[in-house]
Amino acid sequence: MTDERKLLLLGLLRQTEMHGYLLNEHLDGFAPLTLKKPTAYNLLDRMQRDGWVEGREEATGERTRTVYSLTEKGENEFLRLLREQVPEYVPNESPALVSIGFLDALTPSEALALLERRREAAQAFRRSLGDSADDPHAHAGSGYLPVEYARRLADLDIEFLGEVVAHIEHGKDEKA
Amino acid sequence: MTDERKLLLLGLLRQTEMHGYLLNEHLDGFAPLTLKKPTAYNLLDRMQRDGWVEGREEATGERTRTVYSLTEKGENEFLRLLREQVPEYVPNESPALVSIGFLDALTPSEALALLERRREAAQAFRRSLGDSADDPHAHAGSGYLPVEYARRLADLDIEFLGEVVAHIEHGKDEKA
DNA sequence: TATAACATGTAACAAGTTACATGATTTC
DNA sequence: GAAATCATGTAACTTGTTACATGTTATA
């Protein structure tokens, strides 16, 4: 999945040049994938060696930070990766669904109790994504699409959990 | 994500004992996560060493295969993993959305052409999942939940792509 | 009898994370 | 002046994949 991460870094640097620390703050928040600090710094190094980005040393007193910006080669690679990735459909994996598939190993009441906790966690996560209206990363028109997608996905999860709960409650009734 | 993979193997073996090859055929088809052959065989080895599963040698002529079944300890671990994973909400990552976030780097017409190819691929994938009605892995009542979830997820992707397309077409009109 | 499917692995590799290290600056 | 935050890494580790190896049985 290196390609997606590279595209992400290139895309962000393409919009505004940045130093690694700032980049990492962005990534923590709204990125559609995990990209931890060491990984980001490492990728920046490699992309600099490959000539995709260039680092300009910026000194504030004793402290220096490296501000990265896209080179022309980087712009080309960005477009190449983009044209490669957009037309490809790679369905998300959903490891979290494995456990849901085995709920029938539990008693209905225990399953319901555990599902309720999952649903609350999902709702809390959904709230943390905010509404389309007050999106801090909103682009012109439609908001930052990956965040909007994350909202939809969380909504789907909550709805799906609700249906699973309903189904178990129904089965419970039948047996009573 | 080892825990999800372990739970998956344990849960499948709990339903019916199986040898590795058969297990892998199941996994290729409808598992909510990737689990390649060497990984599966390796996990089976480790779980056998840990006493979670036991392997019974079954010979057909010269060929032997190892049929794995849950031990009591394995059953306990299965339940422990299940009780751990059900209440936890871990949102899916969506690396495939990175590229969608940078569509504005392309001309509207190129973006639309690339999106159309992605949408076709998504629709083909959706068709491969079949309908709830003729689910070959259907459980009593509601079908195998991870597969049903995969259908919803694919539907969401297709719908979302449609909206992105519509939005770009709209923007194009405005500029015309 | 050659090819595909069955059945099980090994070994090298790639990718990303965790935990840790280091020093500067700002804030309480 | 202690703690938090800024800023950038290194090194070891975990995890999972790829490519390959090996021998068996069914199928064309």
Side-chain angles (χ1 to χ4, degrees):
Chain A
M1 245 146 37
T2 321
D3 280 351
E4 285 90 338
R5 280 171 235 271
K6 280 183 179 170
L7 181 65
L8 179 60
L9 292 182
L10 291 176
L12 290 175
L13 291 178
R14 188 175 176 270
Q15 289 168 5
T16 40
E17 52 172 40
M18 262 182 277
H19 57 280
Y21 190 88
L22 203 64
L23 207 43
N24 276 302
E25 287 204 322
H26 280 251
L27 297 172
D28 271 347
F30 68 97
L33 41 69
T34 337
L35 208 177
K36 294 298 163 77
K37 270 171 222 160
T39 312
Y41 280 117
N42 183 31
L43 278 178
L44 286 172
D45 277 358
R46 284 173 49 189
M47 297 198 303
Q48 187 174 26
R49 258 179 268 131
D50 292 342
W52 299 13
V53 300
E54 56 187 17
R56 172 173 46 83
E57 295 292 310
E58 200 183 78
T60 323
E62 291 301 296
R63 178 157 66 186
T64 42
R65 49 194 200 181
T66 314
V67 177
Y68 293 95
S69 53
L70 277 211
T71 61
E72 206 184 308
K73 194 174 174 187
E75 171 78 16
N76 290 336
E77 289 297 331
F78 168 78
L79 288 172
R80 190 183 60 75
L81 288 171
L82 188 60
R83 289 183 175 121
E84 184 180 287
Q85 289 178 35
V86 172
E88 240 180 83
Y89 178 67
V90 184
N92 287 344
E93 302 226 330
S94 25
L97 259 282
V98 173
S99 62
I100 300 296
F102 296 126
L103 278 174
D104 52 4
L106 301 172
T107 64
S109 51
E110 183 177 10
L112 288 172
L114 297 179
L115 282 170
E116 190 44 45
R117 288 170 53 199
R118 190 194 185 100
R119 184 152 57 158
E120 270 157 29
Q123 279 162 346
F125 175 76
R126 175 62 184 85
R127 279 192 297 274
S128 79
L129 293 176
D131 286 330
S132 312
D134 50 61
D135 187 341
H137 300 288
H139 280 187
S142 66
Y144 182 57
L145 291 174
V147 172
E148 183 56 27
Y149 180 83
R151 291 191 190 101
R152 304 284 187 95
L153 195 47
D155 287 339
L156 169 61
D157 286 341
I158 292 165
E159 194 193 314
F160 192 75
L161 282 173
E163 286 177 37
V164 174
V165 164
H167 178 254
I168 293 175
E169 278 171 347
H170 190 72
K172 227 170 129 189
D173 291 347
E174 275 175 2
K175 278 175 193 165
Chain B
M1 242 144 36
T2 320
D3 280 350
E4 284 90 337
R5 282 172 231 272
K6 280 183 180 171
L7 181 65
L8 179 60
L9 291 181
L10 290 176
L12 290 175
L13 292 177
R14 188 176 176 269
Q15 289 169 3
T16 39
E17 51 172 39
M18 262 183 278
H19 58 279
Y21 190 86
L22 202 66
L23 208 43
N24 276 302
E25 287 204 322
H26 279 251
L27 297 171
D28 271 348
F30 67 98
L33 40 67
T34 336
L35 208 177
K36 294 299 164 77
K37 271 171 219 158
T39 313
Y41 280 117
N42 182 30
L43 278 178
L44 285 171
D45 277 359
R46 283 172 52 188
M47 297 198 301
Q48 186 173 28
R49 259 179 266 132
D50 292 343
W52 298 14
V53 300
E54 56 187 19
R56 172 172 46 82
E57 295 294 309
E58 203 183 77
T60 321
E62 290 302 295
R63 180 157 65 188
T64 41
R65 47 195 199 180
T66 314
V67 178
Y68 292 96
S69 54
L70 276 212
T71 61
E72 207 185 307
K73 194 173 173 188
E75 170 78 16
N76 289 335
E77 289 295 334
F78 168 78
L79 288 171
R80 189 183 61 74
L81 288 171
L82 188 60
R83 291 188 173 116
E84 183 179 288
Q85 289 178 35
V86 172
E88 240 179 81
Y89 179 67
V90 184
N92 287 342
E93 302 225 328
S94 25
L97 260 283
V98 173
S99 62
I100 301 295
F102 295 127
L103 278 174
D104 52 5
L106 303 171
T107 64
S109 50
E110 182 176 12
L112 287 173
L114 298 179
L115 282 171
E116 192 45 45
R117 289 170 53 198
R118 190 194 187 99
R119 183 152 59 158
E120 272 158 28
Q123 280 162 344
F125 174 76
R126 176 61 185 84
R127 280 192 296 274
S128 77
L129 293 176
D131 284 332
S132 312
D134 48 60
D135 187 340
H137 300 288
H139 280 189
S142 66
Y144 181 58
L145 292 174
V147 173
E148 183 55 29
Y149 180 82
R151 291 193 190 98
R152 305 285 187 93
L153 195 46
D155 287 339
L156 169 61
D157 286 342
I158 293 165
E159 194 194 313
F160 192 76
L161 282 174
E163 285 176 37
V164 175
V165 165
H167 178 255
I168 293 175
E169 278 171 348
H170 189 73
K172 228 169 127 188
D173 290 347
E174 273 175 4
K175 279 176 191 161

